[in-house]
Amino acid sequence: MTPRIAILGAGAGGIAMAVALRDAGMSDVTILEKSDGFGGTWRDNTYPGCACDAPSHLYSFSFAPNPDWSRKFADQPEILDYMERVALDHRLDRSTRFGSEVASLEWDDDRATWEVRTVAGERLEFDVVVAALGQLNRPGLPDIPGLETFTGTAFHSARWNHDHDLVGRRVAVIGNGASAVQFVPEVAAEAAHVTIFQRSANWIMPKPDREFRRSERWAFRHVPGLRRAYRASIYARFESRFMLFRRGSRLGRSVARVMRRQLEPIVRDEITEEMVVPDYPPGCKRILISNDYLDTLHRPDVSVTTAPIVAVDATAVLTADGGRHEVDTIIFGTGFESTSFLAPVEVTGRAGRSLSEVWEKGATAYLGMAMPEFPNLFLLYGPNTNLGHNSIIFMLECQARFTASIL
């Protein structure tokens, strides 16, 4: 008997899982997606400058190669188009229920089934549930005193307010992570002034990006084995960097010295060493890539402060050094709640035990994917999976094939 399988989420993980199940001969599959389309994080994030920091040919499904990537690091519209095209090519729209946000999962031990309840109150029954809810789908917002009193416009980068005209605005950017280094140069080009509030500096490397030449795209499509070899070379090159991140690595210390020398010329005038040169080894935090962020810091209409934020009032951000930064727009580049796995879905397993109770002291799972007391529930974005790997798509495919083989 073919099990009834629910996949939560129609992003990259959901697409990979659905294709793996179909290839394994399982047809009773339903994808439950809260939005109105495929794409996941690439549908949510539409901020200016949004792009992938993994090379395009690696950030692709092995079962759906794309020889026509326009550049080495694709931007958001092209990636979203790719995700949608793959889903439609595999006819996943026929088994997807859009606008179906899941509120809870409850295991029935007697019937060996999961009851899935949607936010709309619908109750559905499945034998297996695979959670493909991405780790970058819930914006992380800081708890800043007085934020509710701010009379200007405030939004997170993953919920970009495209109706808000930034021309002539005084903008506060809170956070300086992977999204911020992409949108800050774009915002600075329009705003009257941008103030960046950061807790620590990032290791930032040049982004080796360019458009693929027409001859290269032709070769990827027509020369046997070339695209596969190119993809493999990217993966091997990234994997070889592991030695950089080992504790006490001599190579890591050497690379850190080289990177520090590259950053030191940025230090001058209002840009202090604390603002641009990290005080920790490369790899302790995500290494960012950008060709224009550091140059943007030297614009006369851009300033950086490392003083902690203590409060926000109606028209300003207040910092611990006594600073009062008058702004009319606040953009949060503060990342995501990446370790709140499955949240806000309430999950109840055997004997009425909730997953939040089991994980009260920290999330653990077999291979990051399965937990005792929660039968036939698999996670594609669980503890110690996906984040930090140079090819999230590669890992998702491995997890999807593993899950399909078990089922």
Side-chain angles (χ1 to χ4, degrees), residues 188-346:
E190 296 187 3
H193 191 274
V194 175
T195 303
I196 302 167
F197 297 83
Q198 71 174 52
R199 289 189 298 184
S200 61
N202 294 298
W203 290 107
I204 299 180
M205 299 179 63
K207 185 177 184 178
D209 189 24
R210 65 169 175 81
E211 291 186 355
F212 283 112
R213 292 182 285 273
R214 184 179 300 177
S215 59
E216 291 173 318
R217 295 199 299 273
W218 182 92
F220 285 137
R221 178 171 288 279
H222 297 287
V223 177
L226 177 62
R227 181 201 50 76
R228 185 183 294 271
Y230 178 64
R231 174 184 167 101
S233 72
I234 299 172
Y235 183 83
R237 189 164 66 250
F238 281 0
E239 287 295 290
S240 69
R241 297 174 184 173
F242 170 73
M243 291 303 298
L244 294 175
F245 306 130
R246 288 181 65 93
R247 184 188 297 274
S249 165
R250 251 189 249 179
L251 180 59
R253 289 196 297 269
S254 176
V255 170
R257 285 194 294 270
V258 172
M259 294 175 69
R260 187 171 282 108
R261 282 198 296 269
Q262 292 175 342
L263 289 171
E264 284 172 351
I266 306 295
V267 178
R268 61 179 189 266
D269 301 330
E270 299 297 321
I271 305 301
T272 66
E273 182 171 325
E274 180 187 12
M275 295 174 182
V276 294
V277 181
D279 59 359
Y280 53 85
C284 288
K285 287 176 61 178
R286 184 174 180 176
I287 296 176
L288 308 182
I289 53 175
S290 174
N291 294 329
D292 52 6
Y293 177 76
L294 293 174
D295 289 339
T296 300
L297 301 186
H298 286 297
R299 290 178 59 115
D301 52 3
V302 173
S303 57
V304 180
T305 178
T306 57
I309 296 173
V310 294
V312 170
D313 65 18
T315 61
V317 177
L318 312 178
T319 50
D321 59 357
R324 177 181 175 83
H325 306 268
E326 295 283 346
V327 297
D328 51 50
T329 303
I330 298 176
I331 303 175
F332 293 100
T334 44
F336 301 84
E337 296 181 14
S338 58
T339 57
S340 299
F341 309 103
L342 281 176
V345 179
E346 295 180 6

Side-chain angles (χ1 to χ4, degrees), residues 39-52:
T41 190
W42 297 107
R43 176 169 293 276
D44 292 342
N45 286 269
T46 59
Y47 60 80
C50 183
C52 190

Side-chain angles (χ1 to χ4, degrees), residues 10 29-33 38 92-98:
V29 177
T30 302
I31 303 174
L32 301 174
E33 167 58 41
F38 294 99
L92 300 186
D93 55 316
R94 299 182 179 183
S95 55
T96 302
R97 298 177 55 160
F98 296 109

